[in-house]
Structures are given as C-alpha cells and as structure tokens.
Amino acid sequence: MTAALILGGGGARAAYQAGVLQAVAELLPDQALNPFPIICGTSAGAINALSIAGHAGAFRAGVASLLEIWRNLRAQDVYRTDFLGVARNSLGLLASLLRGGCPPGQALALLNNSPLRSLLERHIRFDRIDAALAGGHLDAVCITALHYGSGQSVSFFQGRRDNWERNRRCGLRTQLNLEHLMASTAIPLLFPAAQIGDHHYGDGALRQLKPLSPALHLGARRLFVVGVSDNFRHKPSATPTRSPPSVGHILGQLLNSAFIDAIESDLETMETINALAAEIRPERRHAASIAHLEPVEALCISPSEPIDKIATQHYQELPHSVRLFLRAIGATTRSSGASAASYLLFEPGFCRRLLDLGYRDALDCKDRIRAFFRLSDTVDEPEAIRAGTP
C-alpha cells in the first residue's frame, strides 16, 4: 500500500518536522530512495514537502538540504524585521481598516514576506519534480491553499491522478511553482495574499477541514503524519485568568485553530472509520458499494514538550521591532501570548531546539517507524541510538 507523508502548517514550528525527517532518514537503509511516494504539505509544511520532493531520488540529501535551511534560518530571511518595514505594513493595515479596504494592487498584511520569496527561489527545486515523477521516485506532491474568493480549500498537486471535488475542498492538477508555495504559506493578516492568475489565495491551513483527504485522493493508504502540537500527549488545562484575553492571546488561539485543530480532529475521525471498516467484511463492502471504505494505517509523530513553553524561553531572540509589535497586541510571555510568537520565531535558537526535539521524539518511536516501513531488525541503527544519547 502506498505511503504518504503529511506535513501540516505551523510557521516556525515546522522546524520540528525537519527533525523528525532527520531521524527517519537515519533509520532507513543507507541507500534508501524516497520512502514517501506521495508528499502533502500545507503552509510551512508545504516548504518542507517541496524541499523533500525536489530530492525524491535521494531522500537523505533532501533531508540534509532541509536541515541546512532550518539550522541557519533567521526571521529576517522570512519577513522584513527592520523598523521601517514593520511600521510601514502596520500603518498600511490600519489605514485600510479606516478606509474600508486596500487600494488595487496593494496587499493587506502586517508583515512583508518578500525575503521568504528570495529564500524559496534559492532552495526549492521545482525543476526536479518532473524528473522524480518520471523516474518513479514520486507519485504525486501536493500543497494546499485557501481560495479567498470561493472559500474553498484548494490542493494543487503535480502527479498523474485526476482532479477531485468535495464540499468546500478540491484538488487541481497543475505544474507547481513558487506562486503556489507563496499562496500556501500566506498566513492571514500576517503575510499578504498571493495571486495565481486572476485569483487570490491564502494560507492553506484555513478551511482545511480534512487535512488527510488530499493524500487519500492521491492514492495513499498508509499515512505518516508529523504534527506540531503536544495536544496528543498532554491534555490542555484550563488556567484561570484575572483579565480578559489580549489581542495577541486571541491571535494565538486563532492560529492554533487553523494549524493544529483540524489535523487532530481528522485523525480522530479516521480512527473511528477504521474501527467501523474493520467490522465490515470485504465482500460486504463491495456489495454495499463502499469498497473504498477500508482501514487506513497511520503513524503520527508529535512533540513531547509544549512548543509554547519552548517559545517563551526563546522569545528574546525575536528582533526588537517584532517584539515591540507583539507587545503592542499583548502577545508577550507574561500574557499567554507566546503561542502567537511561536509562529514567527524563525530564529536559530528556537528552530534548533525544535529540530532536536523532533529528532529525539522520532527516535523514541523508532520501533513504530520501523514497523511502518516494514524494516527488519537487522537494519543499522543511527549512531545516536547505538550510543544511547539522542
């Protein structure tokens, strides 16, 4: 059965995904090619997905290239951090609110993400995707964006499958390029919408009610999901507060809702369907025209530590101009606003902490990963495992 890699969004939190993939690459045999014929990504996860897809014939090289990006990333590589850039966009957003809209051709956003475009132009090899498809190293790669006009979740994919359409979501076969990636990563209000043809798109995590769906439409029946939330391991606690939530706190919850909640909910739904499908004999499924309703294998790796807590320890790494902006909306470590800051913390200290955490969490799940890839116990273990020091 075909395996798919599913990488959700999360801004700077997506560094965790690269750490998990590093461990996967080390657990696989030395000469292993791409273990994921189908690769799906959304928002920052789309960057990781396309980076791997561009090296599908050499999985370890692709992971090494991805690690290089995250280990050296700084906020200024993703959005303008100078006072002039931050102030200009913030005042522009305020002016648009006062006049009821923005002038034609002017994007509406708090931050200018033009540095991200330059970064992606240097690192993402769109030209290699066709070669990977032709060589059989890849069946399909897919990234998702929100169509602002229709409110649909649009999954742009490159591969040999047909288009699909469901309620509030569809899949469109296309030749992926930088504009699709800029669209998928355009966090609403923070980054400007991206234009593809005559249409404008935003971050794919918005309205993506079924984040596992694109992989299933593309033919996957085994899902390797990398989350960016510790909710799977730690139940959220209701902490009493003396004052109403700040704008920053509310923004953090809205971002969590977009980037985290959907994938957790979809996994729960899939587990329920799996349990029901397992109770129906194959011949009964065929007779009832529900042959497609078969169990889907899934392995989800998620953070063992709260990323919000890690963000509070690295908050001071943010450029001063960005911290002033976050302070103005109440997104500080003292106001439970670190969740919003964690999406913008593209700084080496924070990203490397998440890389290490993802690597260690994946190694802690090495037996489950081996079982997922049907690896024998004779495969060499990573040096970190043999030494007993993740």
Side-chain angles (χ1 to χ4, degrees):
M1 292 188 291
T2 304
L5 173 64
I6 299 178
L7 303 172
R13 292 168 173 240
Y16 177 85
Q17 299 169 348
V20 171
L21 292 174
Q22 179 188 6
V24 170
E26 293 182 4
L27 287 168
L28 293 171
D30 289 343
Q31 303 304 318
L33 300 178
N34 175 35
F36 303 107
I38 297 170
I39 303 176
C40 300
T42 301
S43 193
I47 298 174
N48 293 342
L50 285 175
S51 181
I52 296 299
H55 296 81
F59 183 65
R60 285 198 174 191
V63 172
S65 176
L66 186 60
L67 292 172
E68 187 70 14
I69 296 174
W70 283 106
R71 283 173 178 155
N72 298 290
L73 197 62
R74 304 193 70 91
Q76 64 190 27
D77 299 320
V78 180
Y79 52 86
R80 285 188 59 175
T81 60
D82 57 288
F83 278 100
L84 178 61
V86 174
R88 179 181 296 169
N89 276 58
S90 299
L91 291 174
L93 178 62
L94 178 60
S96 70
L97 294 174
L98 294 176
R99 62 173 171 255
C102 56
Q106 180 178 323
L108 181 67
L110 284 168
L111 298 171
N112 181 334
N113 65 342
S114 57
L116 176 62
R117 177 180 289 273
S118 300
L119 177 74
L120 298 179
E121 285 177 337
R122 295 194 304 270
H123 289 282
I124 304 299
R125 299 301 304 271
F126 291 95
D127 57 312
R128 293 182 178 176
I129 295 177
D130 275 334
L133 291 167
H137 303 305
L138 190 66
D139 288 350
V141 58
C142 170
I143 61 176
T144 299
L146 169 72
H147 188 291
Y148 276 122
S150 66
Q152 272 194 315
S153 176
V154 182
S155 295
F156 298 103
F157 70 94
Q158 197 166 332
R160 289 178 287 275
R161 290 277 172 167
D162 295 328
N163 294 347
W164 70 84
E165 186 160 5
R166 296 292 185 272
N167 183 41
R168 288 293 182 184
R169 63 187 192 276
C170 66
L172 295 178
R173 184 170 57 189
T174 188
Q175 191 79 17
L176 294 174
N177 59 43
L178 183 59
E179 301 311 318
H180 297 104
L181 189 50
M182 292 300 294
S184 184
T185 57
I187 301 175
L189 294 183
L190 294 181
F191 297 155
Q195 185 171 354
I196 302 175
D198 296 329
H199 305 275
H200 286 86
Y201 294 84
D203 196 291
L206 294 175
R207 303 297 290 270
Q208 192 180 27
L209 304 178
K210 301 291 182 183
L212 307 183
S213 174
L216 299 178
H217 280 291
L218 292 170
R221 287 301 176 266
R222 297 168 56 237
L223 309 179
F224 191 98
V225 184
V226 186
V228 293
S229 165
D230 64 300
N231 288 349
F232 286 109
R233 301 184 185 228
H234 308 100
K235 290 185 178 180
S237 58
T239 305
T241 56
R242 295 182 178 179
S243 58
S246 65
V247 172
H249 192 178
I250 293 172
L251 177 61
Q253 292 297 337
L254 290 173
L255 292 174
N256 287 344
S257 176
F259 290 114
I260 294 172
D261 295 352
I263 200 164
E264 293 176 352
S265 175
D266 209 14
L267 280 168
E268 286 184 351
T269 300
M270 191 192 69
E271 290 174 0
T272 301
I273 294 175
N274 278 346
L276 293 172
E279 297 298 320
I280 305 174
R281 294 193 302 272
E283 58 271 21
R284 291 287 300 276
R285 290 203 296 267
H286 283 280
S289 298
I290 53 172
H292 63 282
L293 189 64
E294 58 184 19
V296 175
E297 180 183 352
L299 171 59
C300 180
I301 308 293
S302 61
S304 58
E305 300 177 21
I307 290 185
D308 286 357
K309 184 176 181 180
I310 297 174
T312 63
Q313 299 166 6
H314 293 271
Y315 184 86
Q316 294 301 318
E317 293 179 16
L318 280 167
H320 186 54
S321 59
V322 180
R323 280 186 279 125
L324 282 177
F325 161 70
L326 291 173
R327 190 178 304 145
I329 64 172
T332 66
T333 56
R334 295 187 299 274
S335 66
S336 302
S339 183
S342 71
Y343 291 93
L344 296 174
L345 246 170
F346 296 96
E347 294 293 340
F350 181 67
C351 291
R352 291 176 185 179
R353 278 282 301 276
L354 296 191
L355 287 171
D356 292 341
L357 179 61
Y359 182 75
R360 287 187 282 108
D361 285 348
L363 291 187
D364 287 343
C365 299
K366 62 182 183 294
D367 292 337
R368 295 169 60 201
I369 293 175
R370 282 202 179 104
F372 183 87
F373 291 114
R374 316 306 195 244
L375 297 177
S376 67
D377 293 334
T378 59
V379 175
D380 289 339
E381 292 185 326
E383 182 179 345
I385 301 178
R386 291 196 298 270
T389 55

